Amino acid sequence: MTTSPASPVPIEPLEAFPLPPGAIVLPPPLWQQVQEDGERELRRLALAALRQAMDERELHLPLGPETDPTDPSRLLALNRFAVQLAVTGMLSDEVAVPAAPWRDAATAPQLLLVAAIDPENGVVGVPGVLTASEVIAAVGDGDQRAERLVLPISAFKGGIERLFTLTALLDPAALPRQALRQQPARPAVRVRDWLEGLLPPALGDLGAELVPVTAGAFRQGGATADSLAPGALAVLSIPLGLTTAGTLVTGDAAQACLERFRLLLIPTAQPPSAATAPATDAAERLTLQLVGELEGDLLPDGLLLSASQGSRRSSVSSANSTQLELELPAAPDLIEVTLTPPDGTPLVLPPLQLPAG
Amino acid sequence: MDACSNGFSCNATETDPHQGPPRLASCGHPQTGVTSSSYRELRALISARGSSQGITIGSLHPPQAAAAAEDYGVDAPSAAGDRLLLAACDAPEDREGAFLCLRCHVSHPLEQKICGLYGQFGDYYGLDEIELASFALDDDGRPLDPARLRGQPTAAITPFTAQVICSYDPSRGAGLPHWARTRLQAHNDLKVYLKEHGLLLISDWALLADTSSRRIRGAWEVFGGGSLTADRAVRLHGAYLAAYPAAKAEHRRRSRRSSGWQPDAAFLHAIAPEQPAATTSEQLEAMARTVRLVLTQQWQRSRQADGEQADALEVPDPRTLQDLSEQPEHSPADQLTLIHAALERALEAVMPAVLAPAASDPQLHCLWQGYGEGLTNTPLAERCGCSRGTVSKKLRPEQHASTIARQAAGELLRQPAFSALGGSVEDLERMVEALRNHLLIPEREGDIAPLRRWVHQHLPVS
C-alpha cells in the first residue's frame, strides 16, 4: 500500500487500465501479426480504427490517400479536409507531432488528429482533434523550429466524434490552413557572464541592473547580496511595475506605476558548512526572487512566477506575499523564466544558461 | 482442514452456504491481510463445498514439496533459496521436488496479482474471480519433470506456475516473484478476457515507453524513494526511451508480433553501463510502479466523477434547442419545427439498427428496456445482472446521440435558416452539442429525454 500527500487513503498501483471512452477495439486478424515497420504499423492500426469507427456509425466519408497511406509524412484526406495523423502510446501524456507540415501555410494541415495506440492489445483511442488555429495556439511560444512539436494529450478534446462532426458537416473554407509563426530563435543568456560584470543586452533592454558581489554589497533596505540568498555570487535586478490596466512593464516604465517590485536573479554557490570545504565561486544554483520595491512591501496578488528547466517545472504565485522564490540547479537544460500578471500578458525572459561544473 | 479430492491436505476458504458464493477470502492471511509466500504451500483452485461454482482459491500442501524443502534446507522463500532450487531442477535427482517448491513459491505472487485485479476492477467491470484465477492458479500440485517440460514451446507449458519457472532467466535481473507477475501480465488468454471486460493489461515496459520525462519526474517525486533521485530517474528513463524503439523494432522484425518484448541484460547494460543490469531493471520497474500509482489516483478521480454523472438525475435544460432557434431572420417557431423534424428523422434512420440486436440478446434487451424507462446505470446493472461497465459498454447512448445529432445537423444545414452555421467551427459544434444534449436530457422536470422515450416506444419485442 502506498499513500501520498494528496491521497491519505492507501492506494495500489493499477494492475490494468480501463479502455478509454470511445476506444476502438480492432479484430485480432488486423493486429496480431505485425505487417509494417515502426511508425507505419501504428498508422496502419489507426487508419483501420478510423474506418471501423465510421462503419459503426454508418458514416461513409472518403478517406485517403490511396497510395501509401501509412507513410508518416503524408497527410490524410478525410472528406476534403487535410488531416495530420499523429500517433502515440495508449497511456501517453503527450504526443510528438512532426512539425514539417506546419511550415508552409499553402499545404499545412487543417486538422491535427491524435491516435493513442496499444498495438499489443489492438486498441486505438482517439483523445481528440485540434484545428490549425488551435494547434498554433497550443504551440504558443514554444520552440517552433523544432522538428517535432510536443503537445500534451490533455490539449486534445472531443474524441473521434469531434473529428467526424467537423469533417462531415463543416465547410472546408471554415478551416484555413495556417503555418507556425517563424520566430527568430532567442539566444540564451550565459549566467556565468554576470559574475564578470557583463550585463546581457537582452536583459539590459528590460532595465536590468547587475551588481557583482565583488563590487560591493547590493543594498535594498539594508540587505546585502549574501543575505538575499546564501552563497550569492551576483544579483541581477529587473525593475517591474503593474499598470492600472494590469499590464506588466519593465525598466523606466515601471517607475510610473503605483505597484512596483523587482525580479532578482541570483546565481549562488554552495554555501560553506562545517563539514565541507569552503564555498567555491562556481555558480551551482540560480535563485529567483520576486520582491517589493521596498523591503516588506506586499506584492500584487495573483502574480505567477514560473520556471522550467528540461522536464522540471516549478511555479509559485502571490497571495498576501512579500516575496516569491524559486530555486533551480545548474544543469545542461536552459532555464525559462516567466512572470505572469493576473490578467495580462506574461513577461518571458530570454533563456538562461547555467550548466553544471 | 478439508481434505481435497486429489489427496493433498488443503485449506478451503470459509464458506457458508447461507451467505451465497464465498468472497475471495484467500488473498493473504485473513487475520493479518499480509500475503506470504512459501516453498510448501501451493495457492491453487480447489474444490469447495458451498461455493456456487464448486471451486474456490485455497491452499495445497504437496508432501513432496515439504520433503524437498526439508532436504534442501530452504525455509522461507529467498533469492538464495530460489537459486538453490533452480539449480536442483537441472540435477538428475529429485528435481521434481525442487520444481514443486518453486511452483509453490510463484503461486503466491500470481495470486496477489489476481487479487489486485479483482480488487480494483471486479465489481465495476464484472470480473469473475474464479475465472481470473483459472489463468494463473491452475496447478494441482502433482509432481512434474522440468526437463521434460522444457522440451515444449514455453507458451504451451501447463500449469502456469511451471511455465513461469521454465521461462525464467536469472540473467535478466528480475527475481522469480517479479518474473511471475511479469509473465502473468503477458498472458494472452488473460489479456483477451480482460479486454472483453473493458480492461487492458499493459506491461511496465510499454508503460515506460508511453511516459514523458515530465510524468516520470512528477511520479518519482511523489511516490519514489530510496537512493534513486528524481534527476537520476529522469536520466535513466531518457536513456530507456532512446533505446526502446530500436529494441522493439528488432523484436517485431524477429517475431512479427508487437507483444512479448522484455529488456535483456544487453539492453539494460547499454542504457546504464555504470551499474549492474539487475539494478537498472529494478529501478525501471520501480519507476513504472510510481507511474501506475499516479494513474491510479487519476483513475479513481475520474471514476468518482463518472459515477456521480452516470447516476445523477438528469436535470432538465429547456434552453438546449432554443439557442439554435435564435436566428433573427427566421421565426423561432418555424426553426424549432425544422429541428424537431430533423431529429425525428435522424432517430428513425439510426436507432432501428442500434436496437435490432436486442431482439435476440436478452441482456441487451433488458438494458435497453430499462434505459427507455429512465433507469440510470447502477439500477440498470442491478436489474439486468451485469456490471456498470457492461451497461456503459453495451448501450453507449452518448455515441448514438452524437451520430443522431450529426445526421440531424446535416439535414438542418441544408435549410436557409441554418446554413450559415456550417461556416464556423464554434457555431457548428454548438449546434451539434445542443442537438445531442436535447436527445440525452429532458426538457422539463419529470420528463424523459427524447432518446429514452424513442427507445421505450420502439424497442422490438424480445
Side-chain angles (χ1 to χ4, degrees), chain B residues 321-333 335 339 415-421 427 430-431:
Chain B
L321 289 189
Q322 229 167 305
D323 290 342
L324 291 182
S325 62
E326 287 166 2
Q327 304 300 316
E329 322 79 70
H330 301 91
S331 131
Q335 289 175 57
I339 291 169
Q415 303 287 337
F418 300 99
S419 58
L421 299 179
D427 287 345
R430 196 167 58 242
M431 173 166 76

Side-chain angles (χ1 to χ4, degrees), chain A residues 1-7 10-22 25-26 28 31-39 41-42 45 53 56-59 88-94 117-123 131 134 152 160-162 164-166 168-175 309-313 329, chain B residues 112-113 116-117 120-121 125 181 185 191 194-195 198-203 206-207 209-215 217 221-223 231 234 244 248-249 252-253 255-261 289 292-297 299-301 353 396 398-399 402-403 405-407 409-410 413 421-426 428-429 431-432:
Chain A
M1 294 278 182
T2 302
T3 62
S4 78
S7 173
I11 58 174
E12 288 286 345
L14 275 184
E15 297 281 3
F17 298 91
L19 260 72
V25 180
L26 296 172
W31 58 270
Q32 280 184 334
Q33 282 290 314
V34 170
Q35 296 181 20
E36 303 242 25
D37 292 330
E39 193 177 330
E41 175 67 5
L42 298 179
L45 297 177
E56 285 172 3
R57 293 159 176 76
E58 300 276 338
L59 193 58
T88 190
M90 175 62 67
L91 299 177
S92 294
D93 56 327
E94 60 186 31
I117 302 175
D118 178 2
E120 299 185 19
N121 284 293
V123 177
T131 65
E134 289 167 347
I160 203 167
E161 302 295 347
R162 188 179 194 223
F164 291 152
T165 294
L166 295 179
L169 300 176
L170 197 63
D171 181 351
L175 283 182
Q309 183 181 34
S311 65
R312 187 195 310 272
R313 302 273 189 278
Chain B
Q112 279 174 38
K113 189 153 179 79
L117 275 167
Q120 287 178 344
F121 302 108
Y125 289 87
R181 285 189 286 271
Q185 189 88 18
K191 280 185 171 186
L194 290 173
K195 197 164 72 170
L199 293 165
L200 298 176
L201 272 185
I202 295 182
S203 69
L207 176 60
D210 282 356
T211 297
S212 67
S213 54
R214 184 170 58 243
R215 182 190 264 172
R217 177 179 294 282
E221 284 173 351
V222 175
F223 294 112
D231 285 343
V234 169
Y244 176 83
K248 186 81 181 194
R252 280 199 211 108
R253 191 189 62 76
S255 69
R256 303 315 293 169
R257 300 184 77 88
S258 279
S259 59
W261 178 82
R289 186 175 188 278
R292 286 180 190 267
L293 286 166
V294 167
L295 294 176
T296 299
Q297 286 185 319
W299 173 69
Q300 285 174 343
R301 281 195 293 266
R396 293 175 287 138
E398 295 83 9
Q399 177 184 316
S402 292
T403 300
R406 203 161 32 238
Q407 188 141 342
L413 286 173
L421 299 179
S424 156
V425 171
E426 291 75 22
L428 175 68
E429 291 193 304
M431 173 166 76
V432 173

Side-chain angles (χ1 to χ4, degrees), chain B residues 157-384:
Chain B
I157 297 174
T158 57
F160 190 70
T161 49
Q163 189 184 124
V164 168
I165 298 159
C166 291
S167 62
Y168 179 59
D169 178 1
S171 71
R172 287 179 184 266
L176 199 45
H178 184 85
W179 178 247
R181 285 189 286 271
T182 303
R183 195 76 197 170
L184 186 57
Q185 189 88 18
H187 193 308
N188 281 331
D189 291 341
L190 176 61
K191 280 185 171 186
V192 169
Y193 173 80
L194 290 173
K195 197 164 72 170
E196 286 168 358
H197 288 78
L199 293 165
L200 298 176
L201 272 185
I202 295 182
S203 69
D204 285 348
W205 316 117
L207 176 60
L208 287 173
D210 282 356
T211 297
S212 67
S213 54
R214 184 170 58 243
R215 182 190 264 172
I216 281 287
R217 177 179 294 282
W220 195 260
E221 284 173 351
V222 175
F223 294 112
S227 59
L228 185 66
T229 64
D231 285 343
R232 171 75 186 125
V234 169
R235 279 199 296 276
L236 180 59
H237 177 251
Y240 174 87
L241 284 184
Y244 176 83
K248 186 81 181 194
E250 174 61 20
H251 169 76
R252 280 199 211 108
R253 191 189 62 76
R254 276 191 290 106
S255 69
R256 303 315 293 169
R257 300 184 77 88
S258 279
S259 59
W261 178 82
Q262 304 274 343
D264 57 17
F267 178 92
L268 295 168
H269 180 73
I271 66 171
E274 72 285 1
Q275 61 186 24
T279 303
T280 303
S281 180
E282 281 167 16
Q283 289 174 343
L284 290 171
E285 285 152 11
M287 285 152 57
R289 186 175 188 278
T290 62
V291 175
R292 286 180 190 267
L293 286 166
V294 167
L295 294 176
T296 299
Q297 286 185 319
Q298 292 176 3
W299 173 69
Q300 285 174 343
R301 281 195 293 266
S302 74
R303 233 189 83 174
Q304 190 174 11
D306 287 348
E308 287 164 2
Q309 193 178 35
D311 290 342
L313 295 174
E314 290 164 343
V315 178
D317 184 1
R319 296 174 297 114
T320 52
L321 289 189
Q322 229 167 305
D323 290 342
L324 291 182
S325 62
E326 287 166 2
Q327 304 300 316
E329 322 79 70
H330 301 91
S331 131
D334 288 344
Q335 289 175 57
L336 273 174
T337 301
L338 288 172
I339 291 169
H340 282 295
L343 277 173
E344 198 57 37
R345 279 189 283 275
L347 278 161
E348 295 284 345
V350 171
M351 287 308 290
V354 170
L355 296 183
S360 55
D361 183 338
Q363 189 183 66
L364 185 60
H365 191 277
C366 173
L367 289 171
W368 277 121
Q369 186 170 48
Y371 178 81
E373 292 169 10
L375 294 183
T376 54
N377 279 8
T378 300
L380 256 180
E382 284 167 9
R383 177 197 277 196
C384 302

Side-chain angles (χ1 to χ4, degrees), chain B residues 79-91:
Chain B
D82 290 349
R83 282 193 295 273
L84 180 67
L85 292 168
L86 283 165
C89 287
D90 292 330

